[in-house]
């Protein structure tokens, strides 16, 4: 376990624990404020993220940023964004359970350093790994559950909203629910 961000980042960027290191162009460690009270967790880098070394910078990321802005959240100010796996799975396939297992300690270390009050899982893969393995995201998105003293919520993945824009109002409502919870339990003025 690393006690500071520089050591964590350096070590993560040199990780060779699984096969994904062979095809990656950049390790996508995460982005945001180390003091964030709210942390977002996605699945894994896609092509744009792999090229730029930052999570959620493609089309889905642009939509995510828009919804974040609408509730006064900003990756450069008051949240932290990371993924379950830090390297792009080829052809954007789902990360394999073994790859997730190899990678999860990086995320654990990130959570330990940030100590967020709220964790939002974007999409089924993240929600299944972090909240509960059999989560039904279409039914359970927008609901908070407490786990290890942290409030956790699953949201639809922004890529799923792009594929089916009819889900947008539902998805946006989750951000409004999140905003209310932040007002209730977070210290920073958002
Ligand atoms: N999808 C994810 O789950 N994470 C990213 O960083 C980009 C797209």
């Amino acid at each position: 376990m690393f006690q500071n961000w520089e050591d964590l980042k350096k070590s993560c960027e040199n990780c060779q624990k699984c096969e994904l290191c062979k095809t990656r162009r950049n390790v996508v460690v995460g982005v945001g404020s180390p003091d964030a009270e709210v942390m977002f967790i996605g699945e894994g880098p896609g092509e744009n993220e792999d090229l730029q070394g930052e999570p959620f910078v493609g089309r889905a990321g642009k939509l995510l940023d828009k919804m974040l802005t609408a509730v006064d959240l900003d990756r450069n100010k008051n949240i932290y964004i990371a993924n379950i796996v830090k390297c792009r799975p080829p052809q954007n396939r789902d990360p394999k359970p073994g790859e997730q297992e190899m990678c999860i300690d990086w995320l654990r270390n990130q959570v330990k350093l940030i100590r967020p009050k709220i964790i939002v899982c974007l999409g089924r893969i993240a929600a299944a790994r972090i909240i509960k393995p059999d989560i039904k995201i279409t039914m359970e998105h927008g609901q908070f559950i407490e786990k290890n003293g942290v409030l956790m919520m699953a949201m639809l993945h922004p890529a799923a909203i792009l594929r089916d824009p009819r889900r947008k109002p539902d998805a946006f409502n989750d951000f409004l629910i999140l905003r209310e919870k932040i007002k209730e339990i977070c210290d920073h003025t958002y």
Side-chain angles (χ1 to χ4, degrees), residues 111-125:
V111 172
K112 278 245 160 74
L113 289 179
I114 295 172
R115 300 197 300 121
K117 290 188 171 151
I118 298 175
I119 290 180
V120 177
C121 296
L122 297 166
R124 183 185 54 84
I125 298 270

Side-chain angles (χ1 to χ4, degrees), residues 5-185:
W5 282 101
E6 284 101 286
D7 292 349
L8 167 70
K9 195 155 182 282
K10 214 184 298 159
S11 186
C12 187
E13 282 169 351
N14 288 307
C15 181
Q16 300 193 354
K17 286 197 266 187
C18 84
E19 293 283 298
L20 297 180
C21 71
K22 296 186 180 150
T23 45
R24 74 178 178 222
R25 281 166 288 194
N26 282 291
V27 177
V28 180
V29 181
V31 68
S33 165
D35 301 320
E37 291 178 285
V38 185
M39 187 167 174
F40 285 78
I41 301 176
E43 171 180 328
E47 186 178 19
N48 293 293
E49 291 76 22
D50 178 50
L51 282 171
Q52 296 181 42
E54 182 170 330
F56 287 99
V57 290
R59 265 185 82 220
K62 299 277 176 289
L63 175 59
L64 176 63
D65 279 338
K66 247 190 194 172
M67 294 194 288
L68 289 170
T69 304
V71 294
D72 304 314
L73 299 176
D74 183 331
R75 67 170 71 200
N76 296 307
K77 290 201 181 103
N78 51 15
I79 58 168
Y80 190 90
I81 309 178
N83 282 307
I84 298 286
V85 297
K86 310 304 193 209
C87 299
R88 183 193 182 199
Q91 279 84 49
N92 298 346
R93 62 163 169 74
D94 289 351
K96 296 175 184 168
E99 292 162 350
Q100 296 184 35
E101 204 48 44
M102 286 295 181
C103 208
I104 201 73
D105 276 346
W106 297 120
L107 184 63
R108 285 204 184 103
N109 204 153
Q110 288 172 302
V111 172
K112 278 245 160 74
L113 289 179
I114 295 172
R115 300 197 300 121
K117 290 188 171 151
I118 298 175
I119 290 180
V120 177
C121 296
L122 297 166
R124 183 185 54 84
I125 298 270
R129 192 69 186 71
I130 305 293
I131 299 176
K132 60 172 179 176
D134 59 345
I135 192 159
K136 294 276 173 287
I137 198 137
T138 45
M139 306 284 294
E140 296 178 67
H141 69 88
Q143 298 174 13
F144 278 108
I145 69 139
E146 193 183 326
K147 208 177 152 184
N148 309 324
V150 182
L151 280 175
M152 303 195 182
M153 179 209 266
M155 284 192 186
L156 300 173
H157 195 286
I161 307 166
L162 288 174
R163 280 194 298 273
D164 183 1
R166 286 170 305 179
R167 295 169 123 181
K168 220 173 190 170
D170 251 12
F172 187 63
N173 195 48
D174 292 349
F175 280 85
L176 298 178
I177 293 169
L178 173 63
R179 178 165 66 180
E180 287 313 303
K181 188 57 79 181
I182 289 171
K183 276 194 202 150
E184 195 185 313
I185 68 161

